[in-house]
Structures are given as C-alpha cells and as structure tokens.
Amino acid sequence: GDSVTQMEGPVTLSEEAFLTINCTYTATGYPSLFWYVQYPGEGLQLLLKATKADDKGSNKGFEATYRKETTSFHLEKGSVQVSDSAVYFCALNQKAAGNKLTFGGGTRVLVKP
Amino acid sequence: EAQVTQNPRYLITVTGKKLTVTCSQNMNHEYMSWYRQDPGLGLRQIYYSMNVEVTDKGDVPEGYKVSRKEKRNFPLILESPSPNQTSLYFCASSLPHPSPLHFGNGTRLTVT
C-alpha cells in the first residue's frame, strides 16, 4: 500500500535559520502531494501542495518540489520565525477511498528566539 | 466562515459507555472522513463518506461506526469504547479529488 516517511523530530532551530524536513513516499500511480501544518490545539491546515511531477508548491515562505525520480517532497524555508513552531505532516492523496490522505508520522519543529 | 466543527473538544469516558462525536461542515462538501492521530503514526483514516448514505471503511475501522443522513453531518459513534481508542480524532471534508481536506479542531478522547 501507499506510505509516507518523514524525518522524526523534534527539530529545534534558532530564528532566521534554514529549515528542511525530508519526506519520501511509496505509491502506485501518480499521487498528489501535500504538506499540512498543525499549530498547538488546532486542526491541520493545508500549507502547500503539488499535483504532478516537477510542480513546486509554495506558501508563507515554505516551498516543496514534487520529485518523481526520487519519490520525494522535501519542505524548505529559508528563514524561520518563532511563529513557525508547529507539527508538519507530509501526505499523499490518491483518487480513491474518499479522497483519502496517507500521512507521514509528523515532524515537530521548535523555533527559539 | 467556512469551517468543520467537531464536538466535544475533550471527552473522558469509561470502557463500554457508548459515545458520539459530532462533525458538521458548512461548505457543501461531498466527501467527509474521520481520522485518528496517534504519536509517531500520523493520522489514519477510520471511515469516509463520498455522499449522503454512502459510507465505507478506512484503514482502522474496528470499533467505530458512522452515518451520513445529511450532507453536512458525519457523526462518529463508539458503541463500546476501549482504552486503545484513546486518541485525538479529526473530522475532515473536501470537494472531490484532488481537492485538499479541511479539518476540524479535533476531539481528544480518553477511555479509562
């Protein structure tokens, strides 16, 4: 079946540091790829998405590129802020099972001032 | 405001006492689903519904029931909760694939 693997956290950074969270996937066909973010006490919010190979998703300074050859969708941000502290989930989505998302285990990011 | 509303936010109960977690969305979405979140496992789909009166099992359906009598509501029912159902539960809705899911704020359930 489909699966998503992302680096375990927690990742602790200083403000203005560069952030990378690795994500790789296993799937049949051509899934869409997503990054969701979960702030404390809240539900998941869509951060960015890419629906086909070589697409780059971007939002709020975050970027990720859909790499079919390496089955990866790494999340990056050039200069993090304290407000970026959250749990980040990589996910894939296939056209089946009610638009089901298959999630990675989540990566907690803590940004210190 | 477009949203998915879950209730309650927190629930503590005892083994075997039936409970229902409600979920409602105001975006006229066809797709609704329930996930549970456990540390290190991410979120796993419990049940989903592609439209009114159409529901199906996800990856971890054991011990859960759902119903979809109206488009906006999708309650999750635990008829006889057990401690291994202690978890954080999320309801989500969306338009058809590949639309992103919209999540509620979660229900933290503890079964003692």
Side-chain angles (χ1 to χ4, degrees), chain B residues 18-96:
Chain B
K18 182 179 178 180
L19 66 90
T20 299
V21 183
T22 63
C23 173
S24 181
Q25 52 93 5
N26 63 1
M27 294 168 280
N28 202 35
H29 286 166
E30 292 92 346
Y31 290 83
M32 297 187 75
S33 52
W34 278 100
Y35 290 80
R36 61 178 287 173
Q37 181 181 5
D38 301 291
L41 297 177
L43 282 78
R44 294 175 292 167
Q45 190 187 60
I46 303 170
Y47 266 94
Y48 67 95
S49 170
M50 297 175 78
N51 216 322
V52 175
E53 303 291 0
V54 181
T55 64
D56 209 345
K57 297 176 180 179
D59 295 324
V60 288
E62 294 77 20
Y64 305 96
K65 284 177 56 177
V66 293
S67 68
R68 188 94 181 270
K69 294 184 169 59
E70 305 165 282
K71 196 172 187 178
R72 63 182 292 124
N73 295 324
F74 191 46
L76 179 69
I77 304 157
L78 285 73
E79 298 228 327
S80 184
S82 62
N84 64 13
Q85 293 179 297
T86 292
S87 188
L88 181 57
Y89 291 86
F90 288 99
C91 181
S93 71
S94 75
L95 293 170

Side-chain angles (χ1 to χ4, degrees), chain A residues 26 44 59 76 84 87 101 103 110:
Chain A
T26 302
L44 280 72
N59 187 26
E76 297 181 336
D84 293 324
V87 181
L101 283 171
F103 286 89
L110 177 61

